[in-house]
Amino acid sequence: MSIATQPAPATHPAAANSRSLESLASRQSIVELGARERAAALLDPGSFRELIDPFERERSPWLAAQGVVTQADDGVVVAKGTIDGQPAVVLAIEGAFQGGSMGEVGGAKIAGALELAAEDNRKGIPTRAVLLLETGGVRLQEANLGLAAIAEIHAAIVDLRRYVPVVGLIAGSVGCFGGMSIAAGLCSYLVVTREARLGLNGPAVIEQEAGIDEYDSRDRPFIWGLTGGEQRFATGLVDAYVEDDVEQVRQTVAALVNGPLPTSPKSDAWQHYLSKLAAYNPSVAIDAAGVRQLYSTPEAS
């Protein structure tokens, strides 16, 4: 399943500009919303119910000892409700807290909610799951505990996607990197906006390891040209490309999460993607057009 915004039909430039301004004014940006507001926006009105909310004070036990201010929900919102009348759980990562990094508590909240959704399905309650991914990956202050939590998330996604679609959304502006980018790749369907970025390593990490001449993390056109949402959709690594508009995102997510399972998970096509990487000559610098050509080249028979 592949979904993209359709271009508007040709019309007079002045009228087109006016309609464009009206359209922009009527939109509500999902990128500008926090994690809790994003989760509420995707669920049916009045159905939002938060589990392990901030009043339960499930904080990270490791951050304070390192002089880092904690957050009462550890940067993860677990919300149950319905999407178009069907049971659903939405797991939203707050990118504004520690860059959306995944620690022991936040990771356990996501993995536990996914495991409960799988149990619901085994009991005949088809609970869908949506992951709102705004994360730099593992929280370095929690090291192996964060990595273990991410591994549990991976296992829970693979288990749940056997029953119902697990939909990931990368809206922006943090992006999705590190081990959580693998979680994104394991989802049944992945939705992105133009502001989204998706990669195993973040730009700053690559620049630190490879040098600024190889990868300049301040070069926004270069970064988005390689790892941005539009590029990821064009190269077939994500399933839907949407505008930064709450209603369009909600409709797209609802269609995917309540639709059929994919014929096979994208992660099962790992040999296809590995062959693409094997065809790339790393001694030659690549640009956005080169990436698209690489992914569009038919495999040798």
Side-chain angles (χ1 to χ4, degrees):
M1 184 176 291
S2 182
I3 302 172
T5 305
Q6 297 300 312
T11 186
H12 190 279
N17 288 338
S18 176
R19 290 175 187 172
S20 178
L21 289 173
E22 289 176 4
S23 175
L24 285 173
S26 67
R27 290 180 187 171
Q28 181 185 11
S29 168
I30 196 163
V31 174
E32 295 178 357
L33 298 180
R36 195 161 281 102
E37 291 75 21
R38 290 182 183 186
L42 295 185
L43 291 167
D44 294 340
S47 72
F48 177 97
R49 178 167 62 91
E50 186 168 349
L51 307 181
I52 319 177
D53 66 26
F55 294 103
E56 297 196 30
R57 306 291 180 188
E58 292 292 345
R59 303 171 184 269
S60 165
W62 312 107
L63 293 183
Q66 299 174 69
V68 179
V69 176
T70 59
Q71 185 159 297
D73 59 10
D74 202 40
V76 170
V77 175
V78 178
K80 291 202 74 173
T82 57
I83 297 178
D84 282 358
Q86 301 300 316
V89 60
V90 179
L91 310 161
I93 301 172
E94 179 56 77
F97 177 64
Q98 292 292 311
S101 61
M102 197 51 51
E104 181 186 23
V105 172
K109 289 172 70 174
I110 294 176
L114 292 169
E115 290 165 2
L116 287 174
E119 281 301 315
D120 280 351
N121 279 273
R122 283 189 274 271
K123 294 175 182 175
I125 306 170
T127 303
R128 285 78 169 166
V130 180
L131 284 85
L132 308 187
L133 300 161
E134 295 299 331
T135 171
V138 67
R139 183 175 294 159
L140 298 181
Q141 295 92 338
E142 303 190 29
N144 291 344
L145 294 172
L147 288 172
I150 290 175
E152 290 178 358
I153 292 170
H154 294 168
I157 292 172
V158 171
D159 182 25
L160 179 58
R161 75 182 187 185
R162 296 182 298 160
Y163 306 105
V164 290
V166 178
V167 176
L169 167 67
I170 308 172
S173 58
V174 173
C176 183
F177 300 101
M180 291 305 288
S181 71
I182 299 174
L186 291 172
C187 288
S188 311
Y189 299 110
L190 192 57
V191 182
V192 297
T193 70
R194 187 176 64 176
E195 288 72 18
R197 290 171 296 154
L198 173 64
L200 190 57
N201 285 323
V205 173
I206 300 174
E207 179 186 296
Q208 180 179 331
E209 295 299 319
I212 194 169
D213 291 337
E214 180 77 17
Y215 204 92
D216 185 351
S217 64
R218 297 166 301 179
D219 188 342
R220 294 173 63 87
F222 173 72
I223 298 301
W224 262 262
L226 294 182
T227 63
E230 184 177 6
Q231 178 71 303
R232 292 309 195 193
F233 179 70
T235 50
L237 292 171
V238 304
D239 305 282
Y241 176 63
V242 296
E243 296 287 344
D244 175 22
D245 176 53
V246 167
E247 184 55 27
Q248 187 177 132
V249 170
R250 194 202 68 76
Q251 291 180 7
T252 302
V253 168
L256 292 173
V257 82
N258 290 325
L261 291 169
T263 306
S264 62
K266 195 181 273 74
S267 57
D268 283 1
W270 59 271
Q271 286 183 313
H272 164 74
Y273 295 110
L274 195 59
S275 70
K276 298 297 182 186
L277 294 176
Y280 169 58
N281 179 1
S283 66
V284 179
I286 196 166
D287 57 13
V291 172
R292 294 192 186 198
Q293 182 178 9
L294 180 69
Y295 278 87
S296 65
T297 303
E299 294 176 48
S301 58

